Amino acid sequence: MILAVYVRNKGDMRVEDIIDIHSHILPGIDDGASSPEAALHMLKEARHQGIREVIATPHYSRRFQNNCPERIRELCGELQKMSREKRLEIRIHSGQEILYSENVPGMIAQGELLTMADSHYVLIEFYPGASYLEILRAVRTLVMEGFSPILAHVERYRALRDEERLEELTGQGAYMQMNFSSVSGNWMNETVRWCRKMLREQYIHFMGTDMHDVTLRKPETEAAVRWMRKKLDQRYMRNLLRGNAEKIIRDEKI
Ligand SMILES: [Fe+2]
């Protein structure tokens, strides 16, 4: 009889170590979790996918005018309490995914919008058709105001498909977040290929599930992590899945 034994190399990433910096888990506040029960279901799935900490990032956009930080903090607290009661070992931090407009830097500075885990990092999104100049100006403005912008699901913007642009934006003080689901698709897909290339070249700083539910936009990391284990430098991978996010939580420079 042949016994298959999996030996873990020293320094291997445990799947259950992930910190998810992009999620829509707070109930009834945007197009994410529809109820507290749905939110708990999402967290349970996330835990199965190796996630042990989550930054809740409800939308601030034209459609979802969430400019009441106290409400977001309150919902985070309630969900944390419920997950503890269910013995779900998952930690929740407050944050927000902010659709950029010229009012945004002032609103963050005034405390009307939330930063990531109360750090100086902010998760920013744009319309998919945003121009490079628009994104560059936003990054410069936020950096001048003392914030570190993280570009949400960076694979979504056509204007950033040129890797030199990612490099330039990073040089200006921006950080890049990619969705797990964009890495695990079919290799024939142009976006999947681009995402994998950007990861291999280490242009990406964070991964996120961008989970909204447990069906169409669910927390799914496994397939992407499997690919990463095979193709990425393991130290880079640990920072991508956990180390860099820990620095957000501790409000340290990456
Ligand atoms: Fe999102």
Side-chain angles (χ1 to χ4, degrees), residues 168-233:
E168 188 181 358
L169 290 171
T170 302
Q172 295 287 324
Y175 295 88
M176 308 294 155
Q177 180 260 313
M178 185 174 276
N179 284 1
F180 282 101
S181 57
S182 303
V183 181
S184 55
N186 191 312
W187 185 83
M188 296 292 281
N189 178 292
E190 191 200 334
T191 299
V192 172
R193 283 208 305 276
W194 183 83
C195 286
R196 291 179 176 186
K197 185 166 187 277
M198 292 305 100
L199 285 166
R200 276 196 303 264
E201 294 181 12
Q202 306 191 359
Y203 283 113
I204 309 301
H205 305 91
F206 306 100
M207 297 301 294
T209 60
D210 200 2
M211 59 173 135
H212 282 66
D213 52 44
V214 287
T215 51
L216 293 173
R217 302 179 76 182
K218 55 187 173 184
E220 199 161 37
T221 66
E222 276 176 355
V225 171
R226 247 192 329 269
W227 178 86
M228 288 173 184
R229 277 212 172 104
K230 276 190 252 162
K231 304 288 183 183
L232 298 184
D233 172 81

Coordinates of all heavy atoms in Angstrom, one line a residue, residues 168-233:
E168 N 4.2 53.3 -12.5 CA 4.2 54.8 -12.3 C 3.3 55.1 -11.1 O 3.7 55.9 -10.3 CB 3.7 55.5 -13.6 CG 3.9 57.0 -13.4 CD 3.5 57.8 -14.6 OE1 3.1 57.2 -15.6 OE2 3.6 59.1 -14.5
L169 N 2.1 54.5 -11.1 CA 1.2 54.8 -10.0 C 1.7 54.4 -8.6 O 1.6 55.1 -7.6 CB -0.2 54.1 -10.2 CG -1.0 54.7 -11.4 CD1 -2.2 53.8 -11.7 CD2 -1.5 56.1 -11.1
T170 N 2.4 53.2 -8.7 CA 3.0 52.8 -7.4 C 4.1 53.8 -7.0 O 4.2 54.1 -5.8 CB 3.6 51.3 -7.6 OG1 2.6 50.5 -8.0 CG2 4.2 50.8 -6.3
G171 N 4.9 54.2 -8.0 CA 5.9 55.2 -7.7 C 5.3 56.5 -7.1 O 6.0 57.2 -6.3
Q172 N 4.1 56.8 -7.4 CA 3.4 58.0 -6.9 C 2.8 57.8 -5.5 O 2.2 58.7 -4.9 CB 2.3 58.4 -7.9 CG 2.7 58.9 -9.2 CD 3.4 60.2 -9.2 OE1 3.0 61.1 -8.4 NE2 4.4 60.4 -10.0
G173 N 2.8 56.5 -5.1 CA 2.3 56.2 -3.7 C 1.1 55.4 -3.7 O 0.4 55.2 -2.6
A174 N 0.7 54.8 -4.8 CA -0.5 54.0 -4.8 C -0.2 52.5 -4.6 O 0.9 52.1 -4.8 CB -1.2 54.1 -6.2
Y175 N -1.2 51.8 -4.1 CA -1.1 50.3 -3.9 C -2.2 49.6 -4.8 O -3.2 50.2 -5.1 CB -1.2 50.0 -2.5 CG -0.1 50.5 -1.6 CD1 -0.1 51.8 -1.1 CD2 1.1 49.8 -1.5 CE1 0.9 52.3 -0.4 CE2 2.2 50.3 -0.8 CZ 2.1 51.6 -0.2 OH 3.1 52.1 0.5
M176 N -1.9 48.4 -5.1 CA -2.8 47.7 -6.0 C -3.5 46.5 -5.4 O -2.8 45.7 -4.7 CB -2.0 47.1 -7.3 CG -1.2 48.2 -8.0 SD -2.2 49.4 -8.7 CE -1.0 50.8 -8.8
Q177 N -4.8 46.4 -5.5 CA -5.6 45.2 -5.0 C -6.2 44.5 -6.2 O -6.7 45.1 -7.1 CB -6.7 45.7 -4.0 CG -7.5 44.5 -3.5 CD -8.8 44.4 -4.1 OE1 -9.6 45.3 -4.4 NE2 -9.2 43.1 -4.5
M178 N -6.1 43.2 -6.2 CA -6.7 42.4 -7.2 C -7.7 41.4 -6.6 O -7.5 41.0 -5.4 CB -5.6 41.6 -7.9 CG -5.9 40.8 -9.1 SD -4.4 40.1 -9.9 CE -3.9 41.4 -10.9
N179 N -8.7 41.0 -7.4 CA -9.7 40.1 -6.9 C -9.2 38.6 -7.1 O -8.8 38.3 -8.2 CB -11.1 40.3 -7.5 CG -11.8 41.5 -7.0 OD1 -11.3 42.2 -6.2 ND2 -13.0 41.7 -7.5
F180 N -9.4 37.8 -6.1 CA -9.1 36.4 -6.2 C -9.7 35.8 -7.5 O -9.1 35.0 -8.2 CB -9.5 35.6 -5.0 CG -8.7 35.7 -3.8 CD1 -9.0 36.6 -2.8 CD2 -7.5 35.0 -3.7 CE1 -8.2 36.7 -1.6 CE2 -6.7 35.1 -2.5 CZ -7.0 36.0 -1.5
S181 N -11.0 36.1 -7.7 CA -11.7 35.4 -8.8 C -11.1 35.8 -10.2 O -11.3 35.0 -11.1 CB -13.2 35.9 -8.7 OG -13.3 37.3 -8.8
S182 N -10.4 36.8 -10.3 CA -9.8 37.2 -11.6 C -8.6 36.4 -11.9 O -8.1 36.4 -13.0 CB -9.5 38.7 -11.6 OG -10.6 39.5 -11.3
V183 N -8.0 35.7 -10.9 CA -6.8 35.0 -11.1 C -7.1 33.5 -11.5 O -6.4 32.8 -12.2 CB -5.9 35.0 -9.8 CG1 -4.6 34.2 -10.0 CG2 -5.7 36.4 -9.4
S184 N -8.3 33.0 -11.0 CA -8.6 31.6 -11.1 C -9.4 31.2 -12.3 O -9.7 30.0 -12.4 CB -9.3 31.2 -9.8 OG -10.4 32.0 -9.6
G185 N -9.7 32.1 -13.2 CA -10.5 31.8 -14.3 C -9.6 31.0 -15.4 O -8.5 30.5 -15.1
N186 N -10.2 30.9 -16.6 CA -9.6 30.2 -17.7 C -8.4 31.0 -18.3 O -8.5 32.2 -18.5 CB -10.6 30.0 -18.8 CG -10.1 29.0 -19.8 OD1 -9.0 29.2 -20.3 ND2 -11.0 28.1 -20.2
W187 N -7.3 30.3 -18.5 CA -6.1 31.0 -19.0 C -6.3 31.7 -20.3 O -5.6 32.6 -20.7 CB -5.0 29.9 -19.1 CG -3.7 30.5 -19.5 CD1 -2.7 31.1 -18.7 CD2 -3.1 30.6 -20.8 NE1 -1.7 31.6 -19.4 CE2 -1.9 31.2 -20.7 CE3 -3.5 30.2 -22.1 CZ2 -1.0 31.5 -21.8 CZ3 -2.7 30.4 -23.2 CH2 -1.5 31.1 -23.1
M188 N -7.3 31.2 -21.1 CA -7.6 31.8 -22.4 C -8.2 33.2 -22.3 O -8.2 34.0 -23.2 CB -8.6 31.0 -23.2 CG -8.2 29.6 -23.5 SD -6.9 29.6 -24.8 CE -7.9 29.9 -26.2
N189 N -8.7 33.5 -21.1 CA -9.3 34.8 -20.8 C -8.2 35.9 -20.7 O -7.2 35.7 -19.9 CB -10.1 34.7 -19.5 CG -10.8 36.0 -19.2 OD1 -10.1 37.0 -18.8 ND2 -12.1 36.0 -19.3
E190 N -8.3 36.9 -21.4 CA -7.3 38.0 -21.4 C -7.0 38.6 -20.0 O -5.9 38.8 -19.7 CB -7.8 39.1 -22.4 CG -6.7 40.1 -22.7 CD -7.3 41.4 -23.3 OE1 -8.4 41.3 -23.9 OE2 -6.7 42.4 -23.1
T191 N -8.1 38.8 -19.3 CA -7.9 39.4 -17.9 C -7.2 38.4 -17.0 O -6.3 38.9 -16.3 CB -9.3 39.8 -17.4 OG1 -9.9 40.7 -18.2 CG2 -9.2 40.3 -16.0
V192 N -7.5 37.2 -17.1 CA -6.8 36.2 -16.2 C -5.3 36.2 -16.6 O -4.5 36.2 -15.7 CB -7.4 34.7 -16.5 CG1 -6.6 33.7 -15.7 CG2 -8.9 34.7 -16.0
R193 N -5.0 36.2 -17.8 CA -3.6 36.2 -18.2 C -2.9 37.4 -17.7 O -1.8 37.4 -17.2 CB -3.5 36.1 -19.8 CG -3.7 34.7 -20.3 CD -3.0 34.4 -21.6 NE -3.3 35.4 -22.6 CZ -4.3 35.4 -23.4 NH1 -5.2 34.4 -23.4 NH2 -4.5 36.3 -24.3
W194 N -3.5 38.6 -17.9 CA -3.0 39.8 -17.4 C -2.7 39.8 -15.9 O -1.7 40.2 -15.4 CB -3.9 41.0 -17.8 CG -3.3 42.3 -17.5 CD1 -2.4 43.1 -18.2 CD2 -3.6 43.1 -16.3 NE1 -2.1 44.2 -17.5 CE2 -2.8 44.3 -16.4 CE3 -4.4 42.9 -15.2 CZ2 -2.8 45.3 -15.4 CZ3 -4.4 43.9 -14.2 CH2 -3.6 45.1 -14.3
C195 N -3.7 39.3 -15.2 CA -3.6 39.3 -13.7 C -2.5 38.4 -13.3 O -1.7 38.8 -12.4 CB -4.9 38.7 -13.1 SG -6.3 39.9 -13.2
R196 N -2.3 37.2 -13.9 CA -1.2 36.3 -13.5 C 0.1 36.9 -13.9 O 1.1 36.8 -13.1 CB -1.4 35.0 -14.2 CG -2.7 34.3 -13.7 CD -2.9 33.0 -14.4 NE -4.0 32.2 -13.8 CZ -4.3 31.0 -14.1 NH1 -3.7 30.3 -15.0 NH2 -5.4 30.4 -13.5
K197 N 0.2 37.6 -15.0 CA 1.5 38.3 -15.3 C 1.8 39.4 -14.3 O 2.9 39.5 -13.8 CB 1.3 38.9 -16.7 CG 2.6 39.5 -17.3 CD 2.4 39.8 -18.8 CE 3.7 40.2 -19.4 NZ 4.0 41.6 -19.3
M198 N 0.8 40.2 -13.9 CA 1.1 41.2 -12.9 C 1.5 40.7 -11.6 O 2.3 41.2 -10.9 CB -0.2 42.1 -12.7 CG -0.6 42.9 -13.9 SD 0.8 44.0 -14.6 CE 1.4 43.1 -15.9
L199 N 0.9 39.5 -11.2 CA 1.3 38.9 -10.0 C 2.7 38.3 -10.1 O 3.5 38.5 -9.2 CB 0.3 37.7 -9.6 CG -1.0 38.2 -9.1 CD1 -2.0 37.0 -9.1 CD2 -0.9 38.7 -7.7
R200 N 3.0 37.7 -11.2 CA 4.4 37.1 -11.3 C 5.4 38.2 -11.3 O 6.5 38.0 -10.8 CB 4.5 36.3 -12.7 CG 4.0 34.9 -12.5 CD 4.5 34.0 -13.7 NE 4.1 34.6 -14.9 CZ 3.0 34.2 -15.6 NH1 2.2 33.2 -15.2 NH2 2.6 34.8 -16.7
E201 N 5.1 39.4 -11.8 CA 6.0 40.5 -11.8 C 5.9 41.3 -10.5 O 6.6 42.4 -10.4 CB 5.8 41.3 -13.1 CG 6.2 40.5 -14.3 CD 6.1 41.2 -15.6 OE1 5.9 42.4 -15.7 OE2 6.1 40.5 -16.7
Q202 N 5.1 40.9 -9.6 CA 5.0 41.5 -8.3 C 4.5 42.9 -8.3 O 5.0 43.8 -7.5 CB 6.3 41.3 -7.5 CG 6.7 39.8 -7.5 CD 7.9 39.6 -6.5 OE1 8.4 40.5 -5.8 NE2 8.3 38.3 -6.4
Y203 N 3.6 43.3 -9.1 CA 3.0 44.6 -9.2 C 1.9 44.8 -8.2 O 1.4 45.9 -8.0 CB 2.5 45.0 -10.6 CG 3.6 45.3 -11.5 CD1 3.9 44.5 -12.6 CD2 4.4 46.5 -11.3 CE1 5.0 44.9 -13.5 CE2 5.4 46.8 -12.2 CZ 5.7 46.0 -13.3 OH 6.7 46.3 -14.1
I204 N 1.4 43.7 -7.7 CA 0.1 43.7 -6.9 C 0.5 43.6 -5.4 O 1.4 42.8 -5.0 CB -0.8 42.5 -7.3 CG1 -1.0 42.5 -8.8 CG2 -2.1 42.6 -6.5 CD1 -1.6 43.8 -9.4
H205 N -0.2 44.4 -4.6 CA 0.1 44.4 -3.1 C -0.9 43.6 -2.2 O -0.5 43.2 -1.2 CB 0.2 45.9 -2.6 CG 1.1 46.7 -3.4 ND1 0.7 47.4 -4.5 CD2 2.4 46.9 -3.3 CE1 1.8 48.1 -5.0 NE2 2.8 47.8 -4.3
F206 N -2.1 43.6 -2.7 CA -3.2 42.9 -1.9 C -4.1 42.1 -2.8 O -4.4 42.4 -3.9 CB -4.1 44.0 -1.2 CG -3.3 45.0 -0.4 CD1 -3.1 46.3 -0.9 CD2 -2.9 44.7 0.9 CE1 -2.4 47.2 -0.2 CE2 -2.2 45.7 1.7 CZ -2.0 46.9 1.1
M207 N -4.7 41.1 -2.1 CA -5.8 40.3 -2.8 C -7.1 40.6 -1.9 O -7.0 40.8 -0.7 CB -5.5 38.8 -2.8 CG -4.3 38.4 -3.6 SD -4.3 38.9 -5.4 CE -5.7 37.9 -6.0
G208 N -8.2 40.4 -2.6 CA -9.5 40.6 -1.9 C -10.5 39.7 -2.6 O -10.4 39.4 -3.8
T209 N -11.5 39.3 -1.8 CA -12.6 38.4 -2.5 C -13.6 39.3 -3.1 O -14.3 38.9 -4.1 CB -13.3 37.6 -1.4 OG1 -13.9 38.5 -0.4 CG2 -12.4 36.6 -0.7
D210 N -13.8 40.6 -2.6 CA -14.9 41.4 -3.1 C -16.2 40.7 -3.0 O -17.1 40.8 -3.8 CB -14.6 41.9 -4.6 CG -15.4 43.1 -5.0 OD1 -16.1 43.6 -4.1 OD2 -15.3 43.5 -6.2
M211 N -16.3 39.9 -1.9 CA -17.6 39.0 -1.8 C -18.8 39.9 -1.5 O -18.8 40.9 -0.8 CB -17.4 38.0 -0.7 CG -17.1 38.6 0.7 SD -17.1 37.3 2.0 CE -15.7 37.7 2.9
H212 N -19.9 39.5 -2.2 CA -21.2 40.1 -2.1 C -22.2 39.2 -1.5 O -23.3 39.6 -1.1 CB -21.6 40.7 -3.4 CG -21.0 42.0 -3.8 ND1 -19.6 42.1 -4.1 CD2 -21.4 43.3 -3.9 CE1 -19.3 43.3 -4.4 NE2 -20.4 44.1 -4.3
D213 N -22.0 37.9 -1.8 CA -23.0 36.8 -1.4 C -22.3 35.5 -1.3 O -21.1 35.4 -1.3 CB -24.2 36.9 -2.4 CG -23.7 36.8 -3.8 OD1 -22.8 35.9 -4.1 OD2 -24.2 37.5 -4.7
V214 N -23.1 34.4 -1.3 CA -22.4 33.1 -1.4 C -22.7 32.3 -2.6 O -22.6 31.1 -2.7 CB -22.8 32.2 -0.1 CG1 -22.2 32.7 1.1 CG2 -24.3 32.1 0.0
T215 N -23.2 33.0 -3.6 CA -23.5 32.4 -4.9 C -22.7 32.9 -6.1 O -21.7 32.3 -6.5 CB -25.0 32.5 -5.2 OG1 -25.4 33.8 -5.1 CG2 -25.9 31.6 -4.3
L216 N -23.1 34.1 -6.5 CA -22.4 34.7 -7.7 C -21.1 35.4 -7.4 O -20.1 35.3 -8.2 CB -23.4 35.6 -8.5 CG -24.6 35.0 -9.1 CD1 -25.5 36.0 -9.6 CD2 -24.2 34.0 -10.2
R217 N -21.1 36.1 -6.3 CA -19.9 36.8 -5.9 C -19.4 36.4 -4.5 O -19.5 37.1 -3.6 CB -20.1 38.3 -6.0 CG -20.5 38.7 -7.4 CD -20.8 40.2 -7.5 NE -19.6 40.9 -7.6 CZ -19.5 42.3 -7.6 NH1 -20.6 43.0 -7.6 NH2 -18.3 42.9 -7.7
K218 N -19.0 35.1 -4.5 CA -18.8 34.5 -3.2 C -17.3 34.6 -2.8 O -16.5 34.8 -3.6 CB -19.2 33.0 -3.2 CG -18.6 32.2 -4.3 CD -19.2 30.8 -4.4 CE -18.7 30.1 -5.6 NZ -19.4 28.8 -5.7
P219 N -17.0 34.3 -1.5 CA -15.6 34.3 -1.1 C -14.9 33.0 -1.6 O -15.2 31.9 -1.1 CB -15.7 34.3 0.4 CG -17.0 33.7 0.8 CD -17.9 34.1 -0.4
E220 N -14.1 33.2 -2.6 CA -13.4 32.0 -3.1 C -12.0 32.3 -3.3 O -11.6 33.1 -4.1 CB -14.1 31.6 -4.5 CG -13.8 30.2 -4.9 CD -14.8 29.7 -5.9 OE1 -15.2 30.5 -6.8 OE2 -15.2 28.5 -5.9
T221 N -11.1 31.6 -2.6 CA -9.7 31.8 -2.7 C -8.9 30.6 -3.2 O -7.8 30.8 -3.7 CB -9.1 32.2 -1.3 OG1 -9.2 31.1 -0.5 CG2 -9.9 33.4 -0.7
E222 N -9.5 29.4 -3.0 CA -8.7 28.2 -3.2 C -8.0 28.1 -4.5 O -6.8 27.7 -4.6 CB -9.5 27.0 -2.9 CG -9.6 26.7 -1.4 CD -10.5 25.6 -1.0 OE1 -11.2 25.0 -1.9 OE2 -10.6 25.2 0.2
A223 N -8.7 28.2 -5.6 CA -8.1 28.0 -6.9 C -7.0 29.0 -7.2 O -5.9 28.6 -7.7 CB -9.2 28.1 -8.0
A224 N -7.2 30.3 -6.8 CA -6.2 31.3 -7.0 C -4.9 31.0 -6.1 O -3.8 31.1 -6.6 CB -6.7 32.7 -6.6
V225 N -5.2 30.5 -4.9 CA -4.0 30.2 -4.0 C -3.3 29.0 -4.5 O -2.0 29.0 -4.5 CB -4.5 30.0 -2.5 CG1 -3.4 29.4 -1.7 CG2 -5.1 31.3 -2.0
R226 N -4.0 28.1 -5.1 CA -3.3 26.9 -5.7 C -2.3 27.4 -6.8 O -1.2 27.0 -6.9 CB -4.3 25.9 -6.3 CG -4.4 24.6 -5.5 CD -5.2 23.6 -6.2 NE -6.3 23.9 -7.1 CZ -7.5 24.0 -6.6 NH1 -7.8 23.8 -5.4 NH2 -8.5 24.4 -7.5
W227 N -2.8 28.3 -7.6 CA -2.0 28.8 -8.7 C -0.8 29.6 -8.1 O 0.3 29.4 -8.6 CB -2.8 29.7 -9.7 CG -2.0 30.3 -10.7 CD1 -1.7 29.7 -12.0 CD2 -1.3 31.5 -10.7 NE1 -0.8 30.5 -12.7 CE2 -0.6 31.7 -11.9 CE3 -1.2 32.6 -9.8 CZ2 0.2 32.8 -12.2 CZ3 -0.4 33.7 -10.1 CH2 0.3 33.8 -11.3
M228 N -1.1 30.4 -7.1 CA 0.0 31.2 -6.5 C 1.1 30.3 -5.9 O 2.3 30.6 -6.0 CB -0.6 32.1 -5.4 CG -1.4 33.2 -5.9 SD -2.2 34.0 -4.5 CE -3.2 35.2 -5.4
R229 N 0.7 29.2 -5.3 CA 1.7 28.3 -4.7 C 2.7 27.8 -5.7 O 3.8 27.6 -5.5 CB 1.0 27.1 -4.0 CG 0.5 27.4 -2.7 CD 0.5 26.2 -1.8 NE 0.2 26.5 -0.5 CZ -0.9 26.3 0.1 NH1 -1.9 25.7 -0.5 NH2 -1.2 26.6 1.4
K230 N 2.1 27.5 -6.9 CA 3.0 27.0 -8.0 C 3.8 28.0 -8.6 O 4.9 27.8 -9.1 CB 2.1 26.3 -9.0 CG 1.7 24.9 -8.6 CD 1.1 24.2 -9.8 CE -0.4 24.0 -9.5 NZ -1.3 23.7 -10.7
K231 N 3.3 29.2 -8.8 CA 3.9 30.2 -9.7 C 4.6 31.4 -9.0 O 5.3 32.1 -9.7 CB 2.9 30.7 -10.7 CG 2.2 29.6 -11.5 CD 3.1 29.0 -12.5 CE 2.4 28.0 -13.4 NZ 3.3 27.4 -14.3
L232 N 4.3 31.7 -7.8 CA 4.8 32.9 -7.2 C 5.9 32.6 -6.2 O 5.9 31.6 -5.6 CB 3.7 33.7 -6.5 CG 2.5 34.2 -7.3 CD1 1.6 35.0 -6.5 CD2 3.0 35.0 -8.6
D233 N 6.8 33.6 -6.0 CA 7.7 33.6 -5.0 C 7.0 33.5 -3.6 O 6.0 34.3 -3.4 CB 8.6 34.9 -5.0 CG 9.5 35.0 -3.9 OD1 10.6 34.4 -3.9 OD2 9.1 35.8 -2.9

